[in-house]
Amino acid sequence: MLAAFTFNTAENLPVGLLELISASLGVSLPRVGLLVTGYGATVAVASVPLAHVVRGVPRRHVLTGLLAALVVSSLAAALSTSYWLLLAARLLTALAQALFWAVMGPVAVGLFAPGVRGRVVGALSVAGSLALVLGLPAGTWLGRRTDWQVPVAVPAALGLVSLVTIAVLLPTSRPEEEPAAHGTGPDPRRFATVLVAGALSATGAFTGYTYIVTFLGDVSRFSPGTISALLVAFGGACLAGVAITGAVLDRCPRSALIAAVTVQAVGMLGLYAAGGDPVAAVVFLTLMGGALGPVFMTTQNAMLLCAPGRTDMALAANSGVYNAGIAAGAALGGLVLRSAGVRSTFLAGGLLAVAACAVLLGGQSRRRGARADGQEPG
């Protein structure tokens, strides 16, 4: 959980430090923004290939190596004196995170009985969500009172604690022999359905969320101070959604995924339709926040259940698809923003979430139909 929190905090820190980094290194804000978009693109592209390369290496060795890379890259980023050195350090962190999410899930859930693995996924997701609620605001606050290098160096210390703990306590075993190395109910069709729905959902979410500050200012007419408070509340809703969903994930994994995507669609379409009213905007923003974390968490859990092969490869595919959706959503939102205005970014995003719901419900209907056909007399 500490490692998950640390990786997600390291990923998101530049969001709150863009202006400080821009002024310190003498580069434009769009170039500093590449520290975020380039990170996501690297994770999207590298997840599956890296998981394939290390598929035979004991997970204890892989995790300690990834955390060592996080420590080194965080220190290198903090000591960077040029934009290109900082970008290189960020890309090293991104490569480590691309593999971390593929390896960490099977290792963590494999330490527990199958009946409670959904709760384990929920605990890990809570830790990851805390990066937005606690890690990013704290890093932004610390950077504004010192220099941007100080919060960027903090993940090195946290990563070192995780590294030592895992190196000392985690058993060493062959990856294919670990308890959660394979899905509990392999289902290639379900695997493909979840990947497609996850991609649509992520694209939809970030079509609007990328421009949420502009929306809250231009459409909802909130002041800058109020917007900052609403973003903290958004992170709190995300954390609450993850905690609630994690509690029921073992009992109803399919329904939890459909519910999360449905709430996302309602939140985004509600913002489009009624976002001009401040009270309605807060309500629908909370719904959207409450769905954002659970969508990724429930797709990760689905990979552990329906992976047609190794779960690490399935999780790598899911992480890659999700990050590709983030990049695609930001790009699509930019196009919609320029052509139809910021309000329409939430219409486009909400419709993509509706499409994700349709994919999930269609997959469930086909599965029921196949079961009924199998029960009929020959």
Side-chain angles (χ1 to χ4, degrees):
M1 289 177 68
L2 177 61
F5 170 79
T6 304
F7 263 112
N8 275 17
T9 298
E11 176 184 7
N12 289 287
L13 272 177
V15 172
L17 303 172
L18 287 180
E19 294 181 356
L20 296 175
I21 295 173
S22 174
S24 173
L25 299 181
V27 295
S28 65
L29 281 176
R31 286 184 68 190
V32 179
L34 287 175
L35 298 174
V36 179
T37 56
Y39 193 107
T42 300
V43 173
V45 172
S47 293
V48 173
L50 287 177
H52 182 74
V53 169
V54 302
R55 66 190 182 280
V57 181
R59 307 291 88 169
R60 174 171 167 266
H61 300 331
V62 173
L63 283 173
T64 53
L66 295 176
L67 288 164
L70 173 63
V71 171
V72 170
S73 60
S74 297
L75 290 175
L79 296 173
S80 296
T81 56
S82 74
Y83 170 78
W84 295 109
L85 288 175
L86 179 58
L87 179 60
R90 287 281 299 170
L91 294 181
L92 176 58
T93 308
L95 288 172
Q97 183 163 343
L99 186 54
F100 173 78
W101 285 110
V103 174
M104 176 269 294
V107 170
V109 301
L111 299 172
F112 296 85
V116 298
R117 286 178 179 175
R119 292 170 59 188
V120 178
V121 174
L124 294 170
S125 297
V126 166
S129 299
L130 278 173
L132 293 177
V133 181
L134 176 62
L136 178 57
T140 303
W141 176 87
L142 182 59
R144 288 175 178 171
R145 281 155 181 76
T146 55
D147 292 310
W148 64 266
Q149 291 93 337
V150 176
V152 168
V154 170
L158 299 178
L160 185 60
V161 174
S162 298
L163 188 159
V164 172
T165 304
I166 288 174
V168 172
L169 298 179
L170 191 70
T172 301
S173 60
R174 294 173 60 84
E176 63 274 13
E177 296 173 352
E178 293 188 352
H182 300 277
T184 54
D187 187 340
R189 181 174 291 180
R190 170 70 176 164
F191 171 74
T193 297
V194 172
L195 280 185
V196 172
L200 288 171
S201 175
T203 303
F206 284 87
T207 296
Y209 179 65
T210 304
Y211 305 96
I212 187 64
V213 172
T214 302
F215 179 92
L216 293 175
D218 294 354
V219 177
S220 304
R221 304 295 181 183
F222 287 114
S223 67
T226 303
I227 291 173
S228 297
L230 287 174
L231 292 179
V232 174
F234 183 93
C238 179
L239 181 61
V242 165
I244 294 169
T245 305
V248 301
L249 199 52
D250 289 308
R251 294 194 297 274
C252 45
R254 293 174 183 269
S255 299
L257 174 54
I258 293 173
V261 177
T262 301
V263 171
Q264 177 189 321
V266 171
M268 299 195 75
L269 293 177
L271 282 169
Y272 166 73
D277 178 77
V279 175
V282 171
V283 171
F284 289 115
L285 182 69
T286 302
L287 287 177
M288 183 183 170
L292 189 62
V295 168
F296 183 66
M297 179 181 71
T298 50
T299 58
Q300 289 287 86
N301 186 65
M303 295 294 105
L304 293 168
L305 299 175
C306 70
R310 289 264 295 267
T311 51
D312 54 358
M313 298 300 297
L315 289 167
N318 189 56
S319 179
V321 163
Y322 189 84
N323 280 276
I326 292 174
L332 175 61
L335 293 174
V336 174
L337 178 66
R338 287 191 290 271
S339 61
V342 69
R343 193 168 195 158
S344 295
T345 63
F346 284 85
L347 173 62
L351 292 176
L352 284 169
V354 170
C357 287
V359 169
L360 291 170
L361 293 172
Q364 197 162 354
S365 298
R366 286 193 300 271
R367 188 169 183 267
R368 288 172 179 169
R371 281 182 173 178
D373 291 341
Q375 292 170 355
E376 291 176 358

